Amino acid sequence: MRMLVPGFEALRRASWVLPLLLALAFAASVAGWLRHSDARDLEEERLTLIADTLSLEARISDWLTAEHAVVDRLALQLPRRVDDQFLLNHPDVAEGLRRLWVGVTVLDANNRVVAHVPHFVPQATPPRERTGVSLDDGGVTAHWSADRPGGGRLIVRFAPTALLRQTVPWWLSQKYDVRLVDALGQRLAQTGSDEAQAGTQGYRISMDPAMRETWLELNTRERHVPWWTTLAGPLMAVFIVLSALASVMLRRQMREVRRAEGEARTEAAWRRAVEDSLTVGLRGRDLEGRVTHVNRAFCDLVGYSAEDLLGSLPPMPYWLPDDMEDSLRRHRRNMAGGAPREGYEARWLRSDGRIVEVMIFEAPLVDAAGRQIGWMGSIVDISARKLAEERERRQTEALAHQARLSTLGEVASALAHQLNQPLAAITGYNAGALRILERTGPPDDMVMEALRRLGEQATEAGRIVQRIRAFLTRRAPQPEVCTMADIVARVLALLKRDLRNLRVEQALPADLPPVNADAVLIEQVLINLIRNAADELQARPQPAPRPHIRISAMLVGQRFVRVDVDDNGPGLQGRGIEQLTTAFYSTKPDGMGMGLAICRSVIEAHHGGMEAGTSALGGARLSFTLPLAEQGPRASVPQDTRQENTP
């Protein structure tokens, strides 16, 4: 920040030139707009010129086409023998001479003149001059030629000047200079001035096929005046000069203001240095509770700048939303002068979302006349002290809890040792009862099946007790080759009563390779995960979608199998596997916080890992990986074979 202050100060000192720069920018924008407007006007004038030229060319072409048709018809109507008097008396010839024609000549097959009528205009119908049109009556003419039946030709000459007189409208001749020129640019006929003036636009279009090697040319008569030669140019120059004078006066005024500000800043800097040297936050408020002063320590404490805090009224931005009523009550008490002299504790919310514990001391703020004008508060951050006290309390609770768990482990180990003999006796008595029933005669099938299942369950209970005892005495797991399908089947059989109201789905590949694991310990891990999911599903408020648990497994890479337990419950709510498997952490009111921690220890003892995430069913997913059993080459894993159990 200190490196930026000189640059900012230099920029502020040069701010007097900003109005002049803005005036120049405004003048430049106006000049650009005027230039663009000139270009747009020129383009519109050119488009209009092109349209008028095309329209006039079509009009002249239509006129010439009609005249040519009259010549062709006259050539067909004339008899074989014709003389000058016959041509002169022919109605089409007389009408053509009255309109446009200059002369009519009849040639025989040998191109000899048979009859010829010179230019003739009857006195009864003199040509009518159009207003505003000045035509050049030079000797340049054009002609049409038509073949006669039986040989010979009819040639009719006409004047381009008369053509323009007949076809150019009066309004067009006032707006443009119209010319007919040949291929070399020589003028054949025209209206208006002889040469195009500077600053005008022109457009030329071919008259072919109505008049071969002839072009129609239109030139505008009004000259285009650039914008800078109009009144706008001097006005913009005067505007820029006045802006420069105003900037000079502003610079002089700013120098005087900076001199006064420098003196005030020197005095304020001394006072601010004293306040900023303190580690205690200072907050000044008026009698209405409006913040009038804060020091740097207070801003660092709440995470807001002084500009954000000065002038603010309750509720303050650093008050906790949940404690808003208590904060308002304390504020009213302090404004009434009831703040404790020994101070009081409060919890504030920093701008970054972190909660800080503070101790506040309030005292009246008195002016030089002895009148109270507000309150001055001293704020001390006691978050570190509170955190140390909380840490010490938790360590004490953790030590007590660990002592209880240690005692519980010893009791569990002793209990497992004591249960071995009763379980062995149950197994022995059950085997003896089976042999006696088999010797005494045909036994009841239902009784025999019940006794066999009793023996299997007693044997399984003995295996579980032995493995739990081994795990509690810190012995390594006893891995063996087993299949996940068998483990899942045994777990679901044991949890049949707990899962009777839930939909349980299995998604296990048919040819999933076997794993190398302690089946009993892995069963306990699965039991813990499934029971946790069932507890979360049964604790949901009603009505809710039907509880759904899915157990799936898949091959991961070439060395591991991953087992997923999914549910459609409320999910993990942002908790990760590290938090869930922390010792003594539990989301259940009566939980010990050791279930998932022990599960993770069992999986890591098998060289696997645990993960937590979001399930495709919408709830939570807890997964663990187990190593594959060493065997020959494995076949590719086929599509899943799904099985659904609804206890």
Side-chain angles (χ1 to χ4, degrees):
M1 286 297 294
R2 292 179 180 177
M3 297 179 62
L4 295 178
V5 169
F8 177 76
E9 181 63 23
L11 181 62
R12 194 171 71 88
R13 289 175 180 271
S15 61
W16 61 270
V17 79
L18 182 60
L20 179 59
L21 296 178
L22 292 177
L24 293 175
F26 175 74
S29 62
V30 172
W33 177 80
L34 291 174
R35 181 178 180 182
H36 174 72
S37 178
D38 278 1
R40 183 181 58 190
D41 292 342
L42 285 174
E43 183 64 21
E44 291 179 356
E45 184 181 54
R46 178 171 180 79
L47 294 177
T48 304
L49 171 63
I50 294 174
D52 291 341
T53 305
L54 293 174
S55 176
L56 182 58
E57 186 272 336
R59 180 185 178 93
I60 296 175
S61 296
D62 292 343
W63 187 283
L64 293 175
T65 301
E67 292 293 334
H68 200 177
V70 173
V71 173
D72 291 339
R73 186 175 66 253
L74 178 62
L76 296 176
Q77 292 176 355
L78 290 177
R80 183 179 299 273
R81 298 182 60 85
V82 65
D83 55 10
D84 294 348
Q85 189 63 33
F86 179 83
L87 283 179
L88 187 58
N89 294 330
H90 195 283
D92 290 339
V93 174
E95 182 64 26
L97 293 175
R98 186 182 301 111
R99 287 195 313 272
L100 181 66
W101 299 354
V102 175
V104 180
T105 305
V106 180
L107 303 178
D108 59 8
N110 296 323
N111 290 329
R112 292 178 297 182
V113 178
V114 176
H116 174 72
V117 176
H119 178 67
F120 174 75
V121 179
Q123 296 298 325
T125 57
R128 183 180 56 175
E129 290 287 345
R130 295 179 179 270
T131 304
V133 179
S134 175
L135 299 178
D136 183 5
D137 295 330
V140 180
T141 62
H143 70 274
W144 292 296
S145 178
D147 295 332
R148 296 179 59 203
R153 288 184 299 164
L154 174 65
I155 297 177
V156 176
R157 291 185 301 112
F158 66 94
T161 301
L163 176 64
L164 293 183
R165 182 187 301 115
Q166 295 290 335
T167 56
V168 177
W170 65 269
W171 58 268
L172 197 64
S173 61
Q174 291 181 346
K175 188 176 181 181
Y176 303 105
D177 291 332
V178 184
R179 298 183 183 89
L180 287 176
V181 297
D182 58 9
L184 300 178
Q186 295 181 353
R187 175 176 54 85
L188 303 178
Q190 74 172 30
T191 65
S193 61
D194 294 340
E195 300 295 336
Q197 298 181 4
T200 60
Q201 297 192 81
Y203 186 75
R204 178 182 295 183
I205 187 172
S206 176
M207 294 295 298
D208 196 23
M211 294 181 67
R212 299 184 61 185
E213 298 184 359
T214 304
W215 277 262
L216 174 65
E217 181 181 294
L218 269 69
N219 289 280
T220 59
R221 291 189 172 183
E222 294 184 2
R223 296 178 61 254
H224 177 73
V225 180
W227 66 269
W228 58 84
T229 60
T230 62
L231 183 61
L235 288 179
M236 290 176 61
V238 172
F239 172 72
I240 293 175
V241 171
L242 292 178
S243 299
L245 293 177
S247 298
V248 172
M249 296 176 64
L250 179 61
R251 181 185 183 186
R252 183 178 303 172
Q253 183 68 23
M254 290 181 61
R255 286 180 175 177
E256 296 179 359
V257 171
R258 280 199 300 269
R259 187 181 302 108
E261 288 180 349
E263 297 175 356
R265 279 198 300 269
T266 302
E267 182 179 355
W270 183 85
R271 186 183 64 184
R272 175 62 66 178
V274 174
E275 294 180 355
D276 291 343
S277 63
L278 300 176
T279 59
V280 177
L282 297 179
R283 177 190 63 185
R285 295 185 291 178
D286 59 15
L287 296 177
E288 297 179 359
R290 181 182 291 103
V291 177
T292 58
H293 179 77
V294 290
N295 69 339
R296 180 182 301 176
F298 184 87
C299 295
D300 295 340
L301 178 64
V302 298
Y304 292 95
S305 64
E307 290 76 11
D308 297 333
L309 296 174
L310 294 178
S312 59
L313 284 168
M316 298 301 177
Y318 46 82
W319 285 0
L320 282 172
D322 297 338
D323 296 341
M324 195 64 67
E325 293 296 332
D326 292 341
S327 299
L328 286 173
R329 179 180 52 80
R330 286 195 299 267
H331 170 75
R332 288 192 290 266
R333 179 199 63 187
N334 297 339
M335 291 297 100
R341 294 184 59 86
E342 64 276 8
Y344 61 94
E345 295 182 4
R347 298 172 72 243
W348 285 355
L349 181 66
R350 284 177 50 88
S351 60
D352 57 3
R354 184 166 59 89
I355 297 177
V356 293
E357 303 278 349
V358 295
M359 176 68 76
I360 305 174
F361 301 90
E362 294 279 2
L365 184 62
V366 181
D367 62 3
R371 295 174 303 178
Q372 181 179 356
I373 58 175
W375 299 89
M376 177 60 71
S378 301
I379 296 91
V380 181
D381 186 2
I382 60 173
S383 300
R385 190 186 73 185
K386 288 287 186 180
L387 185 61
E389 293 176 355
E390 180 66 18
R391 187 183 299 112
E392 183 179 358
R393 183 185 63 82
R394 289 183 179 179
Q395 289 177 352
T396 302
E397 292 180 355
L399 289 174
H401 197 180
Q402 189 172 4
R404 292 195 299 270
L405 288 178
S406 178
T407 303
L408 180 61
E410 295 176 359
V411 173
S413 180
L415 182 61
H417 177 75
Q418 296 297 327
L419 287 177
N420 277 332
Q421 293 181 354
L423 290 174
I426 292 173
T427 303
Y429 283 127
N430 182 74
L434 284 174
R435 287 195 295 272
I436 292 174
L437 290 176
E438 290 174 352
R439 289 198 303 267
T440 56
D444 189 341
D445 293 339
M446 185 177 298
V447 175
M448 294 296 291
E449 180 63 23
L451 290 176
R452 290 192 189 96
R453 293 186 64 122
L454 176 62
E456 293 174 358
Q457 295 298 323
T459 303
E460 181 69 18
R463 290 175 63 242
I464 293 173
V465 168
Q466 290 295 332
R467 296 295 173 86
I468 292 177
R469 181 183 179 189
F471 186 75
L472 291 174
T473 55
R474 298 184 182 275
R475 295 179 183 176
Q478 300 177 9
E480 57 185 358
V481 177
C482 52
T483 62
M484 288 306 305
D486 296 339
I487 295 176
V488 172
R490 286 196 296 270
V491 169
L492 294 179
L494 292 173
L495 298 178
K496 186 174 183 179
R497 291 180 58 85
D498 297 335
L499 305 177
R500 59 180 181 272
N501 295 325
L502 282 75
R503 175 188 173 191
V504 181
E505 177 187 358
Q506 301 180 51
L508 304 174
D511 293 341
L512 188 68
V515 296
N516 191 31
D518 191 325
V520 175
L521 293 180
I522 299 304
E523 289 175 10
Q524 300 306 310
V525 171
L526 265 178
I527 289 173
N528 190 286
L529 297 182
I530 295 173
R531 277 181 173 169
N532 286 344
D535 293 342
E536 290 291 337
L537 293 173
Q538 292 172 355
R540 292 185 305 175
Q542 299 296 330
R546 183 183 179 187
H548 185 188
I549 297 177
R550 182 171 64 192
I551 306 168
S552 59
M554 62 182 297
L555 187 63
V556 180
Q558 299 295 325
R559 298 179 54 194
F560 290 92
V561 167
R562 191 182 77 190
V563 181
D564 300 325
V565 179
D566 299 276
D567 61 61
N568 61 342
L572 299 177
Q573 300 176 358
R575 295 186 290 266
I577 190 64
E578 296 295 334
Q579 182 179 2
L580 293 173
T581 57
T582 302
F584 314 125
Y585 176 81
S586 177
T587 59
K588 301 177 183 179
D590 54 350
M592 298 176 61
M594 294 300 296
L596 290 179
I598 295 175
C599 290
R600 184 174 181 178
S601 300
V602 170
I603 296 301
E604 290 178 351
H606 285 79
H607 307 288
M610 287 192 69
E611 297 178 356
T614 303
S615 168
L617 302 179
R621 165 179 286 184
L622 290 175
S623 309
F624 61 87
T625 56
L626 295 173
L628 294 175
E630 295 183 359
Q631 56 183 7
R634 294 186 293 273
S636 60
V637 180
Q639 297 294 328
D640 293 354
T641 57
R642 295 181 180 272
Q643 178 180 358
E644 183 173 328
N645 299 335
T646 305

